[in-house]
Amino acid sequence: DAEITQSPRHKITETGRQVTLACHQTWNHNNMFWYRQDLGHGLRLIHYSYGVQDTNKGEVSDGYSVSRSNTEDLPLTLESAASSQTSVYFCASSARGPTEAFFGQGTRLTVV
Amino acid sequence: GQNIDQPTEMTATEGAIVQINCTYQTSGFNGLFWYQQHAGEAPTFLSYNVLDGLEEKGRFSSFLSRSKGYSYLLLKELQMKDSASYLCAVSDYKLSFGAGTTVTVRA
């Protein structure tokens, strides 16, 4: 069965370190998204991609970067982790067009 | 940008009906989605409306009025397992979410 997986599921890191969260989907979807979820804010879009070599900034992109070298993966990098980036991160993918998005199980990141 | 509003919390009794409203103001619109999210889990798709009117799927129905920037999700015959957050999301190919409505079902 096709799926979307995130790793790691939990991570604790120190302020200032570079961190990369992995997202891998086997749906062969063109669209991939990264969200963060915090109490009171819901899901906020960090970065998104509509295909290989395409990346776009979302509403809360400062301090984050992504790259899309193949269809299956969209890793999210925190260049220099800050305590404000402590959150639950969700990756999602969808087929071309306004179709439902499928979400990974999330990564809980704590920056100390 | 997108501005999406929904109530923060709602409480209802098992077997009852609950209606979750969502209003939106958007710069682009390709449809409105509803997702369910249980605590500690990923959001899962419930419904999609792109045209005005009511879409029914078992105990769940969703309504859209594009001219009013308004949608609602109707949950009928509430069960304890329906206790969750319900997320309204507007699509302009990428999804923008409201903050979510936490529904608590009481026995």
Side-chain angles (χ1 to χ4, degrees), chain B residues 12-81:
Chain B
T13 305
E14 197 173 15
I17 298 173
V18 69
Q19 177 174 315
I20 305 169
N21 297 322
C22 173
T23 58
Y24 63 90
Q25 294 173 306
T26 62
S27 55
F29 184 85
N30 294 106
L32 189 136
F33 290 79
W34 284 95
Y35 281 77
Q36 181 189 59
Q37 186 178 25
H38 285 101
E41 297 183 7
T44 55
F45 169 79
L46 284 179
S47 70
Y48 170 60
N49 295 70
V50 64
L51 300 176
D52 290 352
L54 189 67
E55 294 281 343
E56 296 186 86
K57 276 174 109 175
R59 295 188 299 112
F60 291 53
S61 303
S62 57
F63 172 83
L64 176 66
S65 168
R66 288 172 296 170
S67 63
K68 294 182 179 178
Y70 169 69
S71 173
Y72 68 72
L73 179 70
L74 196 68
L75 286 62
K76 294 176 276 191
E77 301 170 16
L78 278 172
Q79 300 175 11
M80 299 300 288
K81 66 179 181 178

Side-chain angles (χ1 to χ4, degrees), chain A residues 9 31 33 35 37 40-43 45 48 50 90 94 97-105, chain B residues 30-31 33 35 37 40-45 48 87 91-100:
Chain A
R9 295 292 312 278
N31 304 337
F33 311 90
Y35 293 88
Q37 188 171 37
H41 289 283
L43 287 159
L45 186 62
Y48 58 101
Y50 290 144
F90 285 100
S94 67
T99 61
E100 68 175 283
F102 295 85
F103 284 79
Q105 288 305 300
Chain B
N30 294 106
F33 290 79
Y35 281 77
Q37 186 178 25
E41 297 183 7
T44 55
F45 169 79
Y48 170 60
L87 313 177
S91 172
D92 60 353
Y93 297 108
K94 61 187 185 298
L95 286 175
S96 296
F97 286 84

